[in-house]
Amino acid sequence: MKNLYLRCIKLYDLRLLILSLTILILCFSCGNDKPALPELDPETRDKITALKTDGEKNKYLFNLWQEDQNLRRGQGQNILAKFGKDSEEYKRYVKEIVQLDHLVFAKMKFYLETHNYPKNVGRYDELALNAFPTIIGHHHHYKAQAELLPYLYEAYKTNHCSLDDVVWVMGEMHESKHGGRRYVLKSNVFTTEQEFKELSSALGLDLEI
């Protein structure tokens, strides 16, 4: 019973960490204005440009997905426990995470501009393909997200990307545009298609299913 209690406490603390980190990241990064992304160094640009085969691109995208996930598994819990969520140390940590998030997003942006969304999706791992909606969605700047959404939308229209991925990004865009407020369906028809239609209207995108 004692061990179960301790596990529950740890789980509760972890949920608090995730919630507080998310809120602070939104405070630092959320907004309709497009941020100035970091300039990619020539080595990084050359590395992305040199990707030729689906295997090379798959590996790069998977590593980029991992890079995004690692930002959310850093030393935040230790810093939070030691200094508290309102401390300068924790705010500095979150600010650093936001800067690294900008860098990951800049890599994704350059990748899409260079290679577009994959067409031979059957040759890519699920997590590699998940890099697209995950990284675009995590970057809470509406105008920057809106620049990359068309790549996913066009991929959906050509049966290369799922509508779920497009809708997830649109939901994150709504949060970015409205201070972290999640979109709530107005209809009692809870389908991905209905959510797409409502989000398209709410965001003023005028996209067709």
Side-chain angles (χ1 to χ4, degrees), residues 23-177:
I23 291 172
L24 278 172
I25 287 177
L26 281 170
C27 290
F28 273 109
S29 65
C30 187
N32 295 330
D33 294 332
K34 188 174 68 172
L37 294 176
E39 186 72 26
L40 296 180
D41 60 75
E43 183 180 353
T44 299
R45 295 172 70 90
D46 289 345
K47 180 179 180 179
I48 295 173
T49 303
L51 299 171
K52 302 299 180 186
T53 68
D54 288 322
E56 291 171 346
K57 295 173 184 176
N58 177 70
K59 183 177 180 181
Y60 181 82
L61 289 170
F62 176 75
N63 289 337
L64 197 58
W65 175 84
Q66 281 192 316
E67 196 173 337
D68 172 86
Q69 295 301 297
N70 288 339
L71 291 179
R72 287 145 184 88
R73 301 182 189 134
Q75 298 299 313
Q77 188 172 11
N78 294 334
I79 297 172
L80 180 63
K82 184 175 181 180
F83 299 104
K85 66 181 180 65
D86 296 322
S87 66
E88 289 303 315
E89 289 82 359
Y90 190 62
K91 290 178 181 179
R92 188 162 53 247
Y93 163 77
V94 174
K95 187 174 182 179
E96 181 182 346
I97 292 296
V98 171
Q99 291 172 343
L100 292 173
D101 174 83
H102 286 358
L103 179 59
V104 172
F105 184 85
K107 292 177 183 178
M108 174 56 73
K109 183 174 186 290
F110 186 69
Y111 179 95
L112 283 168
E113 291 170 345
T114 305
H115 300 293
N116 213 318
Y117 192 93
K119 290 182 170 56
N120 300 319
V121 292
R123 300 178 183 177
Y124 289 75
D125 296 328
E126 181 180 353
L127 293 180
L129 294 174
N130 196 41
F132 295 106
T134 300
I135 292 171
I136 297 171
H138 282 165
H139 187 76
H140 282 282
H141 288 276
Y142 179 80
K143 289 183 179 180
Q145 290 171 317
E147 277 191 9
L148 299 193
L149 179 66
Y151 288 99
L152 270 66
Y153 177 67
E154 290 303 317
Y156 156 70
K157 296 294 283 186
T158 53
N159 298 315
H160 297 127
C161 175
S162 73
L163 184 61
D164 286 326
D165 285 353
V166 177
V167 168
W168 190 82
V169 171
M170 291 169 69
E172 296 298 304
M173 289 171 62
H174 186 276
E175 288 194 20
S176 300
K177 194 172 186 178

